[in-house]
Amino acid sequence: MRDDQIIDAQSGVNRRGLLKSAAAAVATAAFPMPAIALAKPFSGVTLRGASYQHHFLTILQGYIPEFEQQTGIKVDLQLSPFPIYNEMVSQELAAGGSAFDFINVTFFLAARWVTAGYLTDLDEFTADANLTPPEWKSDDFVAGAQLPYRDARGGTFGFAWEGGAMVMGLSRMDLMEQKGLKIPRTFDELTEVCAEIHGTDDVNGFVSWRLHHWCLIPYLQGFGGNVFRNPPSDLTPTLNSPEAIRAAEYYANLLKNYAPRDVLTYSEDRARLSMLMGHSNTFIHSSSWVTPILLSDESRVRDTSCVVRMPAGPLNDHPASNSQGLGIPRNAKNRIAAWEFIKWALSPEMCMRIVKEHHHATVCRRSVIQSDEYRSINTVNGQDLGALYLDVLELPAKGDNYMAYRTVKEFPVVGDAVNAAIDQVVTGKRSARDAMNGAQQQAMANLRSASAEP
């Protein structure tokens, strides 16, 4: 069957029929929507989708009845805890199952799923004017956010619905000003600020959370190192390089000396709460976890907070970024209907509604992020959070993709070794050198074991 003859398995709708009915829908929609058929050619279709639990998707669920009313499609979107979701869907895809019509393409698993051929190339849909109108603008998604969902030839296997741009939050600028401290721009200045603030007014100088293979790497790269020798072409781990050892020592020092005593047990939410309550001064993480010090009604430090770029290293300025994307499994039963859902969920109009009606800032459409409406909502105390978010999210697409280490299928097992090593250094069980030598050995063993699996 040729691409232009693809027929939805349950609905019996071909591309030409969909195009004819789409025009009527656009003319009568109460709110601007992507082209969806007024005649409801998908009546009787039930889409099964899966993702991990996230605020954006919880918001989206509230709008799904509108989509169902306009298309006749019923949507069953299952949201699970992050680790449970990843394991469940990985097993389903590997088994060649067809339980889900659309899924979240998890950032650090994307390369593994794409390389294995588990996902549908969405260019099949965006290149077809019968299925995707020009105003949907597939090139409107921020390039840095799209990197994980492209294969070597440039095919697109997901569209980003959530972006993570690593930034630095400072909650007690009042204490910093009292001490004559400026916003830290370098690693050395960051240590100085943490040391000066720690213990003042019962405030911790620094807070973080337990996913070290996310938090550590900007320091590793800032000192000139990397997780792999030259990802994605050379995936030899380099966890015991001088730069990696120096980074481990530096980051562990922040955690040991300036963070809460039980910081190794902290989740993202607990670290966020520590900032919101003013118990910790510095938090470096994805913008959605840091900006609540300015945006949340819970914040007790809104008037004394600042959100800026994280400090740069001696050699590189590489704040981390990531994204999550919606994709369609290769063996999905209802691929065209699934594309209708993704096209609706990530349309410029829906992204803007979610920003305006829920103040959700981490969408990935450039036109929305640069809009006056977005900036009016996300400019606080003179700080343009949207410009900061976009700046960091774009960086990996400029020049070398320094986030390539995280989008290769080998990363998860190497990341496990990093997590264990930093715990050992912070608790004093091993020196940074010994811990990172051990991480290198463990990473190599993990890779050998993974390659031996059928």
Side-chain angles (χ1 to χ4, degrees):
M1 183 179 296
R2 299 193 315 269
D3 284 348
D4 62 351
Q5 295 176 318
I6 291 177
I7 297 176
D8 183 273
Q10 293 185 16
S11 69
V13 180
N14 63 30
R15 295 169 187 259
R16 292 181 181 178
L18 183 61
L19 179 64
K20 290 178 181 178
S21 54
V26 174
T28 59
F31 191 92
M33 301 289 290
I36 295 177
L38 181 64
K40 300 183 181 179
F42 296 103
S43 292
V45 173
T46 296
L47 289 178
R48 290 176 57 82
S51 180
Y52 71 95
Q53 295 164 341
H54 191 282
H55 183 54
F56 175 90
L57 297 171
T58 301
I59 293 171
L60 190 67
Q61 284 181 318
Y63 293 105
I64 284 178
E66 296 181 20
F67 174 78
E68 294 177 330
Q69 177 64 31
Q70 292 188 37
T71 63
I73 299 170
K74 296 298 182 182
V75 180
D76 176 14
L77 174 56
Q78 301 177 20
L79 302 180
S80 307
F82 189 68
I84 294 174
Y85 167 78
N86 290 327
E87 181 177 359
M88 173 186 68
V89 174
S90 291
Q91 292 177 355
E92 174 68 15
L93 293 174
S98 57
F100 300 111
D101 297 298
F102 66 91
I103 59 172
N104 177 65
V105 184
T106 304
F107 177 77
F108 69 86
L109 295 172
R112 178 181 298 178
W113 292 354
V114 170
T115 302
Y118 294 158
L119 304 174
T120 297
D121 187 344
L122 301 182
D123 291 341
E124 170 186 318
F125 303 115
T126 59
D128 189 332
N130 290 354
L131 293 180
T132 310
E135 56 267 26
W136 197 76
K137 299 178 180 177
S138 60
D139 61 353
D140 186 38
F141 291 83
V142 178
Q146 283 298 111
L147 287 175
Y149 314 110
R150 300 197 185 281
D151 65 5
R153 62 178 181 79
T156 305
F157 295 84
F159 281 102
W161 56 266
E162 172 72 7
M166 185 171 277
V167 297
M168 177 172 65
L170 299 166
S171 69
R172 296 300 303 271
M173 289 295 296
D174 55 330
L175 295 182
M176 290 177 58
E177 291 170 2
Q178 290 173 18
K179 292 176 174 290
L181 298 170
K182 297 180 180 180
I183 293 172
R185 306 293 184 188
T186 67
F187 290 177
D188 287 343
E189 291 175 1
L190 174 60
T191 300
E192 178 186 357
V193 168
C194 291
E196 288 290 331
I197 292 296
H198 191 64
T200 303
D201 201 21
D202 293 325
V203 175
N204 298 297
F206 188 79
V207 71
S208 192
W209 67 297
R210 56 179 174 251
L211 195 66
H212 306 311
H213 66 57
W214 167 255
C215 301
L216 170 72
I217 311 306
Y219 301 103
L220 193 166
Q221 293 181 329
F223 284 122
N226 207 344
V227 178
F228 301 102
R229 186 176 293 159
N230 186 28
S233 58
D234 185 345
L235 298 179
T236 304
T238 55
L239 300 181
N240 61 347
S241 68
E243 296 83 5
I245 294 169
R246 186 179 180 189
E249 191 169 45
Y250 176 87
Y251 183 62
N253 180 64
L254 293 177
L255 297 179
K256 284 191 296 185
N257 296 327
Y258 312 121
R261 290 184 179 180
D262 55 347
V263 69
L264 291 182
T265 69
Y266 271 35
S267 63
E268 291 172 295
D269 195 58
R270 191 173 176 190
R272 178 189 66 88
L273 186 62
S274 183
M275 286 284 289
L276 285 177
M277 298 297 103
H279 299 321
S280 297
N281 182 54
T282 307
F283 186 28
I284 297 174
H285 189 23
S286 298
S287 56
S288 58
W289 295 95
V290 173
T291 57
I293 58 176
L294 290 173
L295 299 174
S296 173
D297 292 337
E298 298 177 77
S299 178
R300 296 182 182 177
V301 292
R302 184 178 299 174
D303 294 336
T304 62
S305 289
C306 181
V307 179
V308 294
R309 284 280 295 271
M310 75 166 288
L315 295 181
N316 293 312
D317 179 13
H318 286 348
S321 65
N322 66 7
S323 61
Q324 302 292 340
L326 289 180
I328 300 173
R330 179 190 60 198
N331 294 329
K333 296 177 181 178
N334 303 294
R335 295 199 305 155
I336 295 180
W339 175 243
E340 285 299 313
F341 177 80
I342 292 175
K343 188 172 61 175
W344 166 80
L346 301 184
S347 66
E349 298 83 9
M350 185 54 66
C351 289
M352 181 60 78
R353 284 185 74 179
I354 289 174
V355 169
K356 291 174 67 174
E357 296 172 14
H358 297 272
H359 291 191
H360 182 81
T362 50
V363 295
C364 294
R365 280 191 174 271
R366 179 184 299 278
S367 62
V368 174
I369 299 169
Q370 293 182 327
S371 68
D372 292 339
E373 295 94 331
Y374 182 101
R375 293 200 169 182
S376 67
I377 293 169
N378 292 286
T379 299
V380 184
N381 295 348
Q383 300 175 61
D384 188 341
L385 301 178
L388 175 62
Y389 167 68
L390 183 58
D391 179 35
V392 176
L393 200 61
E394 283 185 318
L395 281 177
K398 297 179 178 179
D400 292 335
N401 176 15
Y402 61 83
M403 291 302 299
Y405 76 89
R406 200 173 182 86
T407 61
V408 298
K409 62 184 179 65
E410 291 80 5
F411 174 74
V413 296
V414 175
D416 290 343
V418 172
N419 286 338
I422 298 303
D423 278 352
Q424 291 169 351
V425 182
V426 175
T427 57
K429 293 180 179 178
R430 304 180 79 176
S431 68
R433 181 178 300 279
D434 289 345
M436 296 308 283
N437 278 328
Q440 177 72 10
Q441 295 171 5
Q442 187 61 56
M444 295 294 291
N446 290 350
L447 289 174
R448 287 192 296 269
S449 177
S451 65
E453 294 177 359

